[in-house]
DNA sequence: GCCGATTTGTCCGTATGTATC
DNA sequence: CGATACATACGGACAAATCGG
């Protein structure tokens, strides 16, 4: 439960929007300030979050317009750093993970240039197949820095690596940089995933950093193309320049 | 040129980071406040922008870590609402657009449920093939609200619709909501695009809103899968809940 | 382990600018 | 032109996390 005020206000407003309480626009910042008994700055931070998430759009001199419409996000929500387990809880689909390979190795030059992890470091390398609602959807190639994800085991990797790192190791996972591309399927992919009519899959390469700014993970997730969906909102910064 | 201070500071810091002036971390907020002769809040807004864009990551009690490494973004940069023309200027590749279909029509029920545009509205519907560096990369299906993009013509559509709307019509383009999926290729796709070995393509569906919060556009962009890349940074919000 | 210094995070109040109506 | 509403900027206070002695 967030004790932070703007977070609380953000959640409350978001809930109200989803419930249809504000079909066209939000009350004025002045009004919300009184309603929540906080400063205008705090209300503005909450509205800023709503804008980031595509719920509203504010216009100087006019007000704050509501853009919301029920999103059918039955699939993933990748706009947050979300673990598979968390995604499952949100979507109410049962999720299972099968570790099909687990080893420890040292980062050599080719591995370094693939993963961005520092050469010479000890790492865990594992492959995992992710099932959602009984279907094999994702084949993961995970590279974890041993010095950060210390004590990782196949058993833990079948549950949740992030939960282990946060709960047991007290590590804080903060930023992920991702790259999405589409690749032709390899024999290894067909071995684990049912690709259907598609001859390719979505490859999501991610680098994740902890609170100290250290990249401790590189993951290449190979997704079944027909079940992949990604949603995003963007704001236009400057017209000409 | 931004007259806004935090924007100016953001650009300056970003440039310094890319130039390698801060290989590990930024100076303290205190220091930057003095350096730029502004308030701490203003510095913090600039840093916030850098975080959003994945350049840095701040840690309470520690400082602000630099995450930057030269991204090879030869392809598109979709993390901003960017027109094809703007993308071309940035990547220094020559871009051309060919309008292969142009008509006006009224939004009926099926069109409404596809596009989200209000039923009964007059719209322009067009199909465009986008070439980057001489290759046909994208097949666009565009739906523009006639009342907002009034006066749109095939000639304008071969140049830049957004530039026309902003420069001539004085419209402000603000928010775009996008959905990315992978679809099997249709005969129409093969007619215009060289798909190579792939039997599918990346479909980007977008809804764009103006400053009044009115959705004036729906576009379905069908991208050659082998030339598609999308980059994104995300920050983890809350560990457990 | 405690304490104080440093550094970022949250929140407040106020003033002024700018766009809309 | 005035009233309204969002945008920017300043300054101050305190909380929370980190680090060194």
């Amino acid at each position: 439960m967030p004790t932070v005020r703007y977070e609380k206000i953000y959640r409350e407003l978001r809930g109200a929007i989803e419930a249809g309480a504000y079909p066209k626009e939000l009350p004025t910042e002045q009004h919300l300030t009184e309603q929540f008994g906080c400063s205008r700055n705090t209300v503005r931070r909450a509205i800023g979050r709503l804008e980031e998430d595509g719920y509203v759009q504010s216009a100087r001199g006019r007000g704050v317009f509501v853009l919301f419409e029920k999103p059918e996000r039955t699939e993933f929500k990748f706009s947050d750093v979300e673990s598979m387990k968390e995604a499952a809880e949100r979507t109410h689909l049962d999720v299972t993970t099968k570790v099909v390979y687990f080893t420890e190795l040292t980062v050599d030059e080719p591995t370094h240039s693939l993963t961005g992890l520092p050469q010479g470091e000890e790492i865990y390398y594992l492959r995992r197949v992710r099932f959602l609602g009984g279907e094999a959807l994702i084949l993961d190639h995970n590279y974890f820095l041993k010095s950060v994800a210390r004590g990782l085991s196949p058993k833990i990797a079948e549950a949740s690596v992030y939960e282990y790192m946060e709960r047991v190791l007290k590590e804080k996972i903060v930023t992920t940089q991702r790259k999405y591309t589409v690749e032709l399927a390899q024999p290894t992919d067909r071995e684990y995933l049912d690709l259907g009519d598609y001859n390719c899959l979505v490859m999501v390469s991610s680098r994740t950093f902890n609170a100290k700014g250290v990249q401790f993970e590189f993951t290449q997730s190979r997704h079944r193309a027909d079940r992949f969906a990604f949603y995003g909102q963007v704001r236009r910064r400057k017209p000409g320049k």
Side-chain angles (χ1 to χ4, degrees), chain A:
Chain A
M1 187 84 82
T3 165
V4 198
R5 301 201 65 177
Y6 77 86
E7 181 80 14
K8 206 174 160 68
I9 294 170
Y10 159 76
R11 284 168 192 266
E12 205 160 320
L13 289 175
R14 191 185 58 182
I17 290 169
E18 287 177 348
Y22 308 117
K24 300 197 64 174
E25 53 186 296
L26 252 44
T28 66
E29 294 177 351
Q30 166 82 38
H31 184 89
L32 292 172
T33 295
E34 290 165 11
Q35 179 181 330
F36 291 105
C38 67
S39 77
R40 197 180 148 221
N41 275 335
T42 304
V43 164
R44 283 181 58 75
R45 288 192 67 171
I47 294 174
R49 282 283 305 273
L50 290 171
E51 275 199 81
E52 275 179 47
D53 294 353
Y55 283 91
V56 302
Q57 174 183 110
S58 50
R60 182 185 295 205
R62 299 284 301 267
V64 180
F65 302 106
V66 175
L67 303 182
F68 179 79
E69 54 189 286
K70 207 116 204 115
E72 359 58 68
R73 310 194 180 183
T74 54
E75 305 296 326
F76 276 74
K77 182 193 167 198
F78 278 113
S79 32
D80 195 355
V81 184
E82 191 174 43
S83 74
M84 190 83 179
K85 193 166 179 181
E86 288 160 0
E89 283 167 13
R90 200 176 38 74
T91 55
H92 302 296
L93 284 170
D94 64 302
V95 61
T96 50
T97 300
K98 194 175 159 189
V99 176
V100 296
Y101 191 72
F102 188 101
T103 190
E104 303 180 10
L105 47 86
T106 306
V107 177
D108 55 10
E109 207 288 310
T111 310
H112 161 72
S113 76
L114 170 70
T115 65
L117 296 170
Q119 209 166 333
E121 283 278 333
E122 300 282 309
I123 57 168
Y124 301 106
Y125 167 63
L126 48 151
R127 285 204 286 268
R128 298 189 288 178
V129 183
R130 314 290 214 127
F131 299 85
L132 195 60
E135 287 181 304
L137 290 192
I138 308 172
L139 174 59
D140 264 4
H141 299 255
N142 298 112
Y143 304 73
F144 288 100
L145 224 53
K146 223 167 141 181
S147 58
V148 177
R150 60 193 175 285
L152 187 61
S153 69
K155 192 172 180 71
I156 293 167
E158 298 218 332
S160 170
V161 176
Y162 278 16
E163 195 181 317
Y164 168 72
M165 290 182 62
E166 287 179 328
R167 285 241 323 273
V168 182
L169 301 180
K170 304 295 178 198
E171 273 292 339
K172 279 170 196 151
I173 291 117
V174 182
T175 308
T176 298
Q177 302 184 342
R178 291 211 175 93
K179 177 184 179 179
Y180 302 82
T181 53
V182 180
E183 307 279 325
L184 288 170
Q186 304 297 320
T188 324
D189 299 318
R190 299 196 180 277
E191 199 176 311
Y192 295 109
L193 307 176
D194 174 21
L195 299 179
D197 294 333
Y198 291 75
N199 67 358
C200 57
L201 35 73
V202 178
M203 192 173 96
V204 184
S205 306
S206 18
R207 297 175 176 199
T208 306
F209 300 80
N210 70 5
K212 292 187 176 61
V214 175
Q215 183 196 337
F216 67 91
E217 176 191 359
F218 172 81
T219 288
Q220 187 184 94
S221 291
R222 305 174 72 85
H223 292 247
R224 247 179 71 167
D226 60 329
R227 297 293 303 277
F228 179 85
F230 172 77
Y231 298 83
Q233 299 84 24
V234 280
R235 269 181 295 177
R236 190 164 170 85
R237 294 285 183 198
K238 294 283 155 186
K241 172 66 182 288

